[in-house]
Every structure is written in structure tokens, then in C-alpha cells.
Amino acid sequence: MTFSISKRALVVACALWASHSAFAADAPHLKFSTSLGDFVVEVYPDKAPKTVENFLQYAKDKHYEGTVFHRVMDGFMVQGGGFTADMNEKPTRPPVPLEANNGLKNDRGTIAMARTGNPNSATAQFFINVQNNASLNAPSPDGYGYTVFGKVVSGMDVVDKIRVVPTGNKGPFQNVPLTPVSIQSVTLVK
């Protein structure tokens, strides 16, 4: 009896592993080339379809080229995708609806959409969690949460370089890197 339970558990575990591997194998990968190095993000259209479609379109349109990580908070996150080095905001398309109740968590290495107090206001800006930020998971912190749509699958050491750069104030903006950390390109690699 013990053998058959163990065998059944093994079969179930293998099936779960295979389904996860197939899921991960089909997920699009995007390479971020930055002034501090490269990292790759895997995105999940089955978990956040409108968010991923939106993000991929911004990448295809080369929107992210010449933007910077404009908000860097070690112990929290690094945010980018909306501003140039002189802190001018780039124009965006209409916002996408919130998809935060998708089962993905704001854990270290995940990428999520930035938004205003309006839960349906995400456009081009994103952030990468540099620690587990359970306080951002739906329904926290404001009843809605933040949409996670992927994770860093290689180059987290580059994100860690970004998270510790010296920051200060620049006009009305806080936590701005004193030396801009630029995004040179975001390209679909798979």
C-alpha cells in the first residue's frame, strides 16, 4: 500500500513538473539591456493577458529605449519604463485593467506594473521587486494590489546592482539614481 501511494505521488509530482516546465518553455522572454548590464524577464500571458500584451507592445514599439530606472529603493523595488534621464515622462497608450488577482505574488525577482491610486491606471511603467513584498499582493495595500506578470530568470545580479545605486531627489522626484541607470533596449528573445 505504501508503495502505491508513493508511486501515485511520484506520478502526480512528475505531471505537475511537466506542466510547469511546458508553461515555462512557452513563456515569452525579454532581454533588458541597461547601463549596468543585462537581465532577462519571463512573462506569463496566461496569468495576466492584457498586461503582457501591453508590455510586449511597448517593447516592440521601442518605448523603453532611452528610459531610466527613475525610482530605486533598496529593500523594496526598482521602477522604470516611464521617464527619460532628464525626468521627462514619455507619452503612453491608454491604461490596462488591473489583473492582480492572478495567483502571482510580488516576490523577489518578479516584475509588476506600476500604477497610481486608480487600480486601472497601469500604462508603461513597471517595477521589479528586490525582496518579497507581500504588502503589494491583492487585495493589499488598497483593496486592489499590483499586477505581477513575470519574473527575472537570469541577471538578477544586475537588478541587485541597480537596487544599491546612490539616490537622491531630482525636482519633485525622490529616490532617483544620482547617475542615471538607463534602459538601452527591451527585446523579445523567445
Side-chain angles (χ1 to χ4, degrees), residues 32 41-44 48 51-52 54-55 64 69 76-81 96 98-100 102 104-115 122-131 133 136-138 145-152:
F32 285 68
V41 169
E42 179 176 84
V43 295
Y44 306 122
T51 302
V52 169
N54 177 65
F55 189 80
Y64 295 117
F69 283 93
F76 185 40
M77 58 87 214
V78 299
Q79 182 175 337
V96 294
L98 185 74
E99 297 178 303
N102 62 18
L104 300 175
K105 304 296 181 199
N106 282 279
D107 290 338
R108 175 173 161 76
T110 59
I111 184 169
M113 291 307 294
R115 61 173 176 80
T123 56
Q125 291 185 42
F126 60 87
F127 62 92
I128 299 170
N129 291 288
V130 298
Q131 72 170 24
N133 289 313
L136 301 180
N137 295 335
Y146 288 79
T147 302
V148 174
F149 65 98
K151 69 178 180 182
V152 176

Side-chain angles (χ1 to χ4, degrees), residues 70-92:
H70 65 276
R71 187 172 172 226
V72 171
M73 300 173 73
D74 187 14
F76 185 40
M77 58 87 214
V78 299
Q79 182 175 337
F83 290 89
T84 61
D86 55 6
M87 298 306 287
N88 285 321
E89 191 167 10
K90 291 184 83 169
T92 60

Side-chain angles (χ1 to χ4, degrees), residues 8-39:
R8 182 174 293 150
L10 181 62
V11 169
V12 170
C14 287
L16 287 172
W17 177 83
S19 67
H20 174 71
S21 295
F23 165 74
D26 293 341
H29 287 70
L30 295 108
K31 178 181 170 187
F32 285 68
S33 293
T34 79
S35 55
L36 291 180
D38 299 345
F39 61 91

